[in-house]
Amino acid sequence: MTTPPPHQKGPAQRVVVTSPRTRAPRARRPYSGTREINEQSELGAVYMRTLIRAQRRLGLSVCLVACGSLGLLPLLFSIDPELGKVRVFGLGLPWFLLCVATFPMLVLAGWFYVRQAERSEREFAELVERP
């Protein structure tokens, strides 16, 4: 702090000096992704196509794995007919696999699909909401 000039009485006063830019209006935020989607602009259409493509890819891959594993069972039993004679809990192996083991596999596939779809939607929402 400086000493006051001889003609001034009392302690020196502090003066806050700021840049003139502080009074300038703030820059407008660019359009958010949700606004682009609501206005159905080209960018909004790109956002939506990206989400739909990711959801479609996920659905087809889960369907392919689930249906493919079920579709391979007849092929497995036609290649090795002795497998059809194996008993599990009093049922033939083909019936056991189709009636008992199939349901946990389908529940697991459904759980996986829902979890991945929600993750994809969360990532999409984060992408769209970014300023």
Side-chain angles (χ1 to χ4, degrees):
M1 204 153 92
T2 61
T3 58
H7 65 279
Q8 185 181 16
K9 295 182 181 176
Q13 292 182 344
R14 289 184 169 231
V15 177
V16 178
V17 179
T18 61
S19 168
R21 290 289 299 159
T22 58
R23 301 222 188 273
R26 295 183 187 259
R28 291 189 58 181
R29 290 180 60 192
Y31 282 137
S32 68
T34 53
R35 187 170 178 184
E36 295 287 343
I37 292 169
N38 289 339
E39 291 178 359
Q40 297 179 353
S41 68
E42 287 296 319
L43 182 58
V46 169
Y47 281 145
M48 290 307 298
R49 276 195 305 269
T50 304
L51 175 65
I52 291 170
R53 189 177 302 128
Q55 296 284 3
R56 184 184 310 130
R57 188 179 325 117
L58 174 64
L60 288 175
S61 62
V62 168
C63 185
L64 181 69
V65 168
C67 294
S69 61
L70 287 175
L72 287 177
L73 287 178
L75 180 64
L76 176 69
F77 291 115
S78 68
I79 290 174
D80 190 5
E82 292 299 315
L83 283 176
K85 297 177 184 170
V86 174
R87 307 295 266 170
V88 178
F89 298 116
L91 291 172
L93 183 61
W95 284 107
F96 177 78
L97 289 176
L98 286 174
C99 298
V100 177
T102 300
F103 293 108
M105 183 197 68
L106 292 176
V107 168
L108 184 65
W111 172 80
F112 176 78
Y113 174 78
V114 168
R115 187 164 180 236
Q116 294 299 317
E118 287 175 349
R119 190 187 101 212
S120 175
E121 289 173 4
R122 246 189 335 270
E123 290 173 355
F124 175 76
E126 289 172 4
L127 173 73
V128 169
E129 293 298 324
R130 259 189 240 156

